[in-house]
Amino acid sequence: MTTLWDRPNFDDHEAIHFVTDAASGLKAIIAMHSTHLGPAAGGTRFWHYADDDDAVTDVLRLSRGMSYKNAMAGLPLGGGKAVILADENRTKTPEMLAAFGRAVDRLGGNYVTAEDVGMSVENMIAIAGTTDYVAGLPVEGEGDVGGDPGPHTAKGVFLGLKAAVKRKLERDDLSGVHVAIQGAGSVASHLARHLADEGARLSIADVAEDRVAALAKETGAAIVDPADILFLDADVVSPCALGAILSEETIAKLNTGIIAGAANNQLARPEDGQRLAARDILYAPDYVINAGGIINVSTEYLDDGGYELVRQRIAAIPGRLDQIWEESASSGRDPAAVADAMAKRLIGRA
Ligand code: NAD
């Protein structure tokens, strides 16, 4: 019999809580991967899993990812994640959310939740009715700590992309540098504005035609077919839409020297990091470059320094990428593998 401890995605998680509330029908799993640096923080996903086993795999994998991401963002937080196992009709009731909040509350602040796939801001407000351990609730006003993470994520990606251009192209400015952006959503739009302001030449693609048209008009970007965007002859390709877009097949067709974008889980498989390195393509590990949003949300929750600290933590992203690329160059290991190793050192699991 395979036990939880033998599973391939089990990584010495500190605690895994299986939660049920018969009255509301709640079934959830809260995984705390590491509290070495602080409370285990990470969002709650509401999802219908064909098999309960898939939910366990998801929560184990995602909570470890949060440990790495929070550590590399320089936050005093560990990593955790929760999944609520939805039924086929994705029934979600106020009673269920209240019961989930109570389960989070019982962990006494050792797990801090936030919004993730399948949850809305309203759902998070409902959960905050039964626990204080919720980050990322709405706040008033532009520039405030908290609120929409998109602009903060975009700022970090912009700074990281500039660091990559400096390293690879030995250029301090972006004037005329061709950046191909996959996606024209929240992060991509803010990123495109930063890049356009610095004179970059932009190509963008999105399956949502109205969105891409509006962004192209605003930034002067060329509109490209979504099927072609990753393979353009461009100085930088910036994936800001989907995960798992860098695979054996797509990497062979890339025509760029730099991959620097916001999308989560860009590598289809760990060995795709080596495939990029073998083609001499500089890769900015996704969870390092896209940490601006989590930095903003967490700084609000921790209430440890206000907007200035958010700005400083985001400004540290390019330096961390440089450290990764430097270690990659000296060790021969690809940047994604180096980032994982650094994160493990930070959480005391070298
Ligand atoms: P979003 O939903 O606002 O935008 C995503 C865009 O991608 C949408 O406009 C969608 O139409 C487009 N898209 C979907 N399939 C596409 C395809 N095949 N080709 C081209 N475009 C396609 O999401 P977002 O908040 O901007 O996030 C973008 C990515 O960055 C996601 O992978 C997300 O997980 C990641 N990310 C976002 C944040 C954040 O703060 N929002 C933080 C970290 C990571």
Side-chain angles (χ1 to χ4, degrees):
M1 188 188 77
T2 309
T3 70
L4 193 52
W5 285 271
D6 302 325
R7 298 175 71 102
N9 286 293
F10 182 74
D11 180 48
D12 291 332
H13 288 66
E14 285 178 17
I16 300 155
H17 299 266
F18 290 83
V19 179
T20 50
D21 178 70
S24 65
L26 173 75
K27 264 172 82 177
I29 312 171
I30 302 173
M32 291 157 56
H33 175 258
S34 167
T35 57
H36 184 77
L37 293 173
T44 294
R45 182 164 290 197
F46 184 88
W47 196 252
H48 172 65
Y49 295 92
D51 187 334
D52 288 356
D53 203 58
D54 297 341
V56 180
T57 300
D58 221 18
V59 82
L60 290 176
R61 199 175 52 80
L62 292 167
S63 57
R64 178 185 52 201
M66 288 311 301
S67 285
Y68 290 9
K69 183 168 187 157
N70 291 337
M72 292 299 275
L75 295 166
L77 291 171
K81 199 88 184 183
V83 294
I84 297 179
L85 286 74
D87 64 17
E88 274 181 19
N89 302 319
R90 292 170 170 72
T91 315
K92 194 198 278 170
T93 63
E95 292 75 21
M96 193 184 270
L97 296 174
F100 179 72
R102 287 195 298 275
V104 171
D105 207 61
R106 280 196 294 274
L107 301 175
N110 288 307
Y111 168 66
V112 180
T113 197
E115 194 180 330
D116 194 64
V117 178
M119 298 292 273
S120 66
V121 174
E122 290 69 34
N123 295 157
M124 298 320 293
I125 294 170
I127 290 169
T130 47
T131 182
D132 288 336
Y133 307 121
V134 183
L137 296 171
V139 290
E140 300 282 313
E142 210 35 49
D144 277 340
V145 179
D148 178 10
H152 304 282
T153 302
K155 187 66 196 279
V157 173
F158 171 66
L159 296 175
L161 188 154
K162 278 187 78 163
V165 166
K166 187 172 166 73
R167 186 171 184 94
K168 182 82 184 178
L169 307 178
E170 296 177 1
R171 290 271 310 263
D172 283 316
D173 71 307
L174 293 176
S175 167
V177 170
H178 184 194
V179 183
I181 308 178
Q182 183 183 44
S186 168
V187 179
S189 305
H190 290 283
L191 174 65
R193 288 179 200 121
H194 285 303
L195 293 168
D197 284 348
E198 292 226 355
R201 181 158 76 85
L202 301 180
S203 298
I204 51 174
D206 197 299
V207 288
E209 286 177 16
D210 51 339
R211 211 170 293 163
V212 78
L215 187 60
K217 193 166 170 213
E218 185 189 337
T219 59
I223 298 177
V224 175
D225 191 306
D228 300 331
I229 190 78
L230 289 178
F231 313 115
L232 284 197
D233 184 357
D235 296 305
V236 183
V237 167
S238 184
C240 294
L242 310 166
I245 31 82
L246 300 170
S247 62
E248 183 173 11
E249 191 199 337
T250 62
I251 289 169
K253 295 194 283 181
L254 292 174
N255 252 312
T256 185
I258 298 169
I259 299 279
N264 279 316
N265 305 317
Q266 291 174 31
L267 303 179
R269 305 177 65 84
E271 54 270 31
D272 293 321
Q274 289 128 39
R275 290 195 175 100
L276 288 170
R279 288 211 50 206
D280 199 22
I281 296 169
L282 186 66
Y283 174 60
D286 45 20
Y287 65 84
V288 181
I289 195 171
N290 75 12
I294 190 89
I295 286 172
N296 182 56
V297 162
S298 308
T299 307
E300 165 242 21
Y301 175 80
L302 294 162
D303 197 17
D304 61 351
Y307 192 69
E308 180 50 27
L309 187 58
V310 173
R311 214 191 48 72
Q312 283 172 21
R313 283 176 169 152
I314 292 176
I317 289 175
R320 200 158 288 118
L321 288 169
D322 267 328
Q323 215 185 329
I324 291 166
W325 293 326
E326 213 39 62
E327 194 171 317
S328 167
S330 60
S331 68
R333 281 181 307 159
D334 69 272
V338 169
D340 284 357
M342 272 185 186
K344 279 189 199 167
R345 285 202 295 273
L346 289 171
I347 64 170
R349 299 201 186 179

